[in-house]
Amino acid sequence: MTVIVALAVGLVTVRFLRIVSGEILSSPALERQNYRGHLLPTAGGLFIVLTVLVIDAGRAVLGALGVGPESGLSEARSAVLFAVFGFGLLGLIDDLAAVGEDRGFKGHLRALREGRVTTGMLKLVGGAAVAVVLVATPGFKSGRTLIALLIALAANLGNLLDRAPGRTIKFGLVAYVPIAIAIGTAPIGIAVAPVMGAALGLLGDDLHERLMLGDTGANVIGAVLGLAVVLGSRDSIRLAVMLVLLALNVAAELVSFSHVIDSVPALRWFDRLGSRRPRDRSS
């Protein structure tokens, strides 16, 4: 029940923020063309970051007043807060400053050989750095290299999926369900729930093309799910998840996820569910 309440708080808060500060994405600097050539505001994930900030600020105020079980930030909440702001900042930089068509590890490495540092490369290196700093905190006592790699790969996978409206949020929520069941009401479970609730609250806007989640949001969703696995599971599961994430990141360099999804009817149906894109291949 606690996790469900935390999810609901995240959802309600992000919808409230959309109502009272919807103009936050109105800057022309945030306009990008979507897959249909329509101009939309990107970096919609900023609302996830703001939601987490508002909720944790509220928790802190209530704790100071003696309301609730915690008077300060727990290790899990601190880790989630750091991950959300760190990976959200890197995603925002990419959303604001990305130029050119350099994509994937190969594209960023090719640009580097040409003497250019892309925002994508900055995001990859910065994401690894955020993960390393994150696991240097006292709550992480063993396997820190593996843990940092898992978080960074999860964040990057979130970005790799963000090629169609609602895709990262949908697949993120599918991944979240077994994670939430496994970790239950552990501190990390309660800390992650508002983030995923906020993501759920943005799903309609993303699907109906009122905004694009952007790397700001995709980065955060992936990183937080990776963090949940790290803090909520044993070493063997962490290793298995890390290997799956590594395989998916490598696969993305060889094949198009969009092509694979479109080739599998069940995935295609789920991917297009609720969006404006036609569900049948002939459309």
Side-chain angles (χ1 to χ4, degrees):
M1 180 60 72
T2 306
V3 173
I4 294 174
V5 171
L7 272 167
V9 169
L11 190 154
V12 171
T13 303
V14 81
R15 294 314 306 167
F16 173 75
L17 290 173
R18 280 287 287 147
I19 292 170
V20 301
S21 59
E23 297 300 309
I24 195 172
L25 301 181
S26 61
S27 169
L30 288 173
E31 287 187 343
R32 297 291 184 273
Q33 282 192 352
N34 71 351
Y35 70 104
R36 295 195 300 161
H38 293 180
L39 282 177
L40 295 178
T42 188
L46 273 173
F47 286 107
I48 298 178
V49 177
L50 291 173
T51 294
V52 174
L53 177 62
V54 168
I55 290 173
D56 269 310
R59 282 173 168 171
V61 170
L62 291 175
L65 296 174
V67 179
E70 297 179 6
S71 58
L73 280 174
S74 64
E75 286 184 355
R77 282 169 54 196
S78 297
V80 168
L81 196 61
F82 183 81
V84 166
F85 273 84
F87 283 98
L89 173 62
L90 293 168
L92 180 61
I93 292 171
D94 202 24
D95 286 335
L96 287 172
V99 293
E101 296 298 322
D102 302 299
R103 293 185 180 276
F105 291 110
K106 290 187 292 187
H108 300 314
L109 289 174
R110 181 174 61 251
L112 194 60
R113 287 196 299 269
E114 297 171 356
R116 296 182 292 114
V117 178
T118 64
T119 55
M121 176 61 77
L122 177 63
K123 183 176 61 182
L124 290 171
V125 175
V130 170
V132 168
V133 173
L134 185 61
V135 302
T137 58
F140 302 88
K141 301 184 183 302
S142 63
R144 292 184 174 182
T145 301
L146 169 64
I147 290 171
L149 182 60
L150 191 158
I151 295 170
L153 288 172
N156 194 55
L157 182 59
N159 288 320
L160 293 172
L161 287 171
D162 191 33
R163 298 290 182 267
R167 181 178 292 170
T168 294
I169 297 177
K170 283 183 181 177
F171 283 93
L173 289 170
V174 168
Y176 172 65
V177 170
I179 293 172
I181 293 172
I183 60 182
T185 57
I188 185 61
I190 298 171
V192 165
V195 182
M196 299 311 297
L200 178 59
L202 290 180
L203 180 58
D205 288 329
D206 198 4
L207 285 173
H208 296 129
E209 301 175 26
R210 290 188 285 266
L211 56 72
M212 289 190 282
L213 185 66
D215 289 351
T216 308
N219 229 16
V220 166
I221 291 172
V224 167
L225 288 174
L227 183 61
V229 172
V230 163
L231 289 179
S233 61
R234 58 183 184 273
D235 289 344
S236 59
I237 294 178
R238 293 177 189 171
L239 177 60
V241 171
M242 190 275 291
L243 291 175
V244 170
L245 290 172
L246 181 60
L248 289 172
N249 274 266
V250 172
E253 296 295 310
L254 306 174
V255 298
S256 163
F257 281 172
S258 292
H259 178 72
V260 172
I261 289 170
D262 278 349
S263 299
V264 180
L267 290 178
R268 179 183 173 84
W269 173 84
F270 178 69
D271 186 48
R272 302 196 174 205
L273 180 65
S275 74
R276 295 181 175 181
R277 294 176 295 156
R279 297 186 196 176
D280 59 309
R281 291 180 62 84
S282 60
S283 300

PDB file of all heavy atoms in Angstrom, residues 165-178:
ATOM      1  N   PRO A 165       6.875   7.969 -29.512  1.00  0.00           N
ATOM      2  CA  PRO A 165       6.066   8.495 -28.399  1.00  0.00           C
ATOM      3  C   PRO A 165       5.675   7.418 -27.392  1.00  0.00           C
ATOM      4  O   PRO A 165       5.112   6.384 -27.744  1.00  0.00           O
ATOM      5  CB  PRO A 165       4.818   9.049 -29.111  1.00  0.00           C
ATOM      6  CG  PRO A 165       5.274   9.372 -30.484  1.00  0.00           C
ATOM      7  CD  PRO A 165       6.286   8.332 -30.828  1.00  0.00           C
ATOM      8  N   GLY A 166       6.007   7.684 -26.138  1.00  0.00           N
ATOM      9  CA  GLY A 166       5.596   6.804 -25.048  1.00  0.00           C
ATOM     10  C   GLY A 166       6.411   5.542 -24.874  1.00  0.00           C
ATOM     11  O   GLY A 166       6.203   4.804 -23.908  1.00  0.00           O
ATOM     12  N   ARG A 167       7.348   5.270 -25.772  1.00  0.00           N
ATOM     13  CA  ARG A 167       8.040   3.973 -25.746  1.00  0.00           C
ATOM     14  C   ARG A 167       8.857   3.776 -24.476  1.00  0.00           C
ATOM     15  O   ARG A 167       8.745   2.740 -23.819  1.00  0.00           O
ATOM     16  CB  ARG A 167       8.943   3.819 -26.974  1.00  0.00           C
ATOM     17  CG  ARG A 167       9.670   2.474 -27.019  1.00  0.00           C
ATOM     18  CD  ARG A 167      10.513   2.339 -28.259  1.00  0.00           C
ATOM     19  NE  ARG A 167       9.678   2.253 -29.458  1.00  0.00           N
ATOM     20  CZ  ARG A 167      10.165   2.319 -30.704  1.00  0.00           C
ATOM     21  NH1 ARG A 167      11.470   2.514 -30.897  1.00  0.00           N
ATOM     22  NH2 ARG A 167       9.349   2.210 -31.740  1.00  0.00           N
ATOM     23  N   THR A 168       9.688   4.739 -24.119  1.00  0.00           N
ATOM     24  CA  THR A 168      10.526   4.574 -22.931  1.00  0.00           C
ATOM     25  C   THR A 168       9.677   4.441 -21.672  1.00  0.00           C
ATOM     26  O   THR A 168       9.960   3.610 -20.809  1.00  0.00           O
ATOM     27  CB  THR A 168      11.501   5.752 -22.781  1.00  0.00           C
ATOM     28  OG1 THR A 168      12.430   5.726 -23.874  1.00  0.00           O
ATOM     29  CG2 THR A 168      12.284   5.653 -21.470  1.00  0.00           C
ATOM     30  N   ILE A 169       8.620   5.241 -21.566  1.00  0.00           N
ATOM     31  CA  ILE A 169       7.766   5.160 -20.384  1.00  0.00           C
ATOM     32  C   ILE A 169       7.066   3.815 -20.324  1.00  0.00           C
ATOM     33  O   ILE A 169       7.018   3.161 -19.270  1.00  0.00           O
ATOM     34  CB  ILE A 169       6.729   6.305 -20.371  1.00  0.00           C
ATOM     35  CG1 ILE A 169       7.431   7.661 -20.279  1.00  0.00           C
ATOM     36  CG2 ILE A 169       5.768   6.134 -19.193  1.00  0.00           C
ATOM     37  CD1 ILE A 169       6.492   8.853 -20.330  1.00  0.00           C
ATOM     38  N   LYS A 170       6.514   3.354 -21.438  1.00  0.00           N
ATOM     39  CA  LYS A 170       5.812   2.071 -21.459  1.00  0.00           C
ATOM     40  C   LYS A 170       6.717   0.913 -21.062  1.00  0.00           C
ATOM     41  O   LYS A 170       6.398   0.119 -20.165  1.00  0.00           O
ATOM     42  CB  LYS A 170       5.242   1.800 -22.856  1.00  0.00           C
ATOM     43  CG  LYS A 170       3.989   2.562 -23.208  1.00  0.00           C
ATOM     44  CD  LYS A 170       3.538   2.110 -24.598  1.00  0.00           C
ATOM     45  CE  LYS A 170       2.314   2.822 -25.061  1.00  0.00           C
ATOM     46  NZ  LYS A 170       1.935   2.415 -26.436  1.00  0.00           N
ATOM     47  N   PHE A 171       7.847   0.794 -21.749  1.00  0.00           N
ATOM     48  CA  PHE A 171       8.742  -0.317 -21.450  1.00  0.00           C
ATOM     49  C   PHE A 171       9.374  -0.161 -20.066  1.00  0.00           C
ATOM     50  O   PHE A 171       9.675  -1.147 -19.393  1.00  0.00           O
ATOM     51  CB  PHE A 171       9.813  -0.452 -22.539  1.00  0.00           C
ATOM     52  CG  PHE A 171       9.298  -1.089 -23.801  1.00  0.00           C
ATOM     53  CD1 PHE A 171       8.806  -0.320 -24.846  1.00  0.00           C
ATOM     54  CD2 PHE A 171       9.278  -2.467 -23.937  1.00  0.00           C
ATOM     55  CE1 PHE A 171       8.310  -0.898 -26.007  1.00  0.00           C
ATOM     56  CE2 PHE A 171       8.794  -3.071 -25.086  1.00  0.00           C
ATOM     57  CZ  PHE A 171       8.307  -2.295 -26.130  1.00  0.00           C
ATOM     58  N   GLY A 172       9.562   1.087 -19.639  1.00  0.00           N
ATOM     59  CA  GLY A 172      10.050   1.326 -18.286  1.00  0.00           C
ATOM     60  C   GLY A 172       9.066   0.844 -17.239  1.00  0.00           C
ATOM     61  O   GLY A 172       9.446   0.222 -16.241  1.00  0.00           O
ATOM     62  N   LEU A 173       7.782   1.104 -17.463  1.00  0.00           N
ATOM     63  CA  LEU A 173       6.758   0.653 -16.517  1.00  0.00           C
ATOM     64  C   LEU A 173       6.643  -0.869 -16.508  1.00  0.00           C
ATOM     65  O   LEU A 173       6.433  -1.476 -15.449  1.00  0.00           O
ATOM     66  CB  LEU A 173       5.409   1.279 -16.871  1.00  0.00           C
ATOM     67  CG  LEU A 173       5.290   2.787 -16.600  1.00  0.00           C
ATOM     68  CD1 LEU A 173       4.023   3.345 -17.217  1.00  0.00           C
ATOM     69  CD2 LEU A 173       5.328   3.071 -15.096  1.00  0.00           C
ATOM     70  N   VAL A 174       6.788  -1.497 -17.677  1.00  0.00           N
ATOM     71  CA  VAL A 174       6.772  -2.964 -17.738  1.00  0.00           C
ATOM     72  C   VAL A 174       7.931  -3.535 -16.927  1.00  0.00           C
ATOM     73  O   VAL A 174       7.772  -4.509 -16.180  1.00  0.00           O
ATOM     74  CB  VAL A 174       6.843  -3.446 -19.202  1.00  0.00           C
ATOM     75  CG1 VAL A 174       7.127  -4.946 -19.268  1.00  0.00           C
ATOM     76  CG2 VAL A 174       5.539  -3.130 -19.916  1.00  0.00           C
ATOM     77  N   ALA A 175       9.105  -2.928 -17.062  1.00  0.00           N
ATOM     78  CA  ALA A 175      10.265  -3.387 -16.292  1.00  0.00           C
ATOM     79  C   ALA A 175      10.081  -3.110 -14.802  1.00  0.00           C
ATOM     80  O   ALA A 175      10.542  -3.883 -13.952  1.00  0.00           O
ATOM     81  CB  ALA A 175      11.530  -2.698 -16.802  1.00  0.00           C
ATOM     82  N   TYR A 176       9.383  -2.014 -14.496  1.00  0.00           N
ATOM     83  CA  TYR A 176       9.213  -1.618 -13.099  1.00  0.00           C
ATOM     84  C   TYR A 176       8.331  -2.578 -12.313  1.00  0.00           C
ATOM     85  O   TYR A 176       8.561  -2.797 -11.114  1.00  0.00           O
ATOM     86  CB  TYR A 176       8.625  -0.204 -13.030  1.00  0.00           C
ATOM     87  CG  TYR A 176       8.231   0.231 -11.645  1.00  0.00           C
ATOM     88  CD1 TYR A 176       9.188   0.394 -10.652  1.00  0.00           C
ATOM     89  CD2 TYR A 176       6.894   0.470 -11.324  1.00  0.00           C
ATOM     90  CE1 TYR A 176       8.827   0.790  -9.371  1.00  0.00           C
ATOM     91  CE2 TYR A 176       6.530   0.867 -10.057  1.00  0.00           C
ATOM     92  CZ  TYR A 176       7.493   1.026  -9.074  1.00  0.00           C
ATOM     93  OH  TYR A 176       7.140   1.407  -7.805  1.00  0.00           O
ATOM     94  N   VAL A 177       7.327  -3.160 -12.958  1.00  0.00           N
ATOM     95  CA  VAL A 177       6.371  -4.015 -12.240  1.00  0.00           C
ATOM     96  C   VAL A 177       7.067  -5.168 -11.501  1.00  0.00           C
ATOM     97  O   VAL A 177       6.884  -5.324 -10.283  1.00  0.00           O
ATOM     98  CB  VAL A 177       5.277  -4.543 -13.183  1.00  0.00           C
ATOM     99  CG1 VAL A 177       4.433  -5.609 -12.490  1.00  0.00           C
ATOM    100  CG2 VAL A 177       4.383  -3.396 -13.643  1.00  0.00           C
ATOM    101  N   PRO A 178       7.880  -6.010 -12.165  1.00  0.00           N
ATOM    102  CA  PRO A 178       8.545  -7.078 -11.412  1.00  0.00           C
ATOM    103  C   PRO A 178       9.554  -6.555 -10.394  1.00  0.00           C
ATOM    104  O   PRO A 178       9.744  -7.156  -9.335  1.00  0.00           O
ATOM    105  CB  PRO A 178       9.242  -7.915 -12.496  1.00  0.00           C
ATOM    106  CG  PRO A 178       9.359  -7.014 -13.669  1.00  0.00           C
ATOM    107  CD  PRO A 178       8.175  -6.113 -13.608  1.00  0.00           C
TER     108      PRO A 178
END
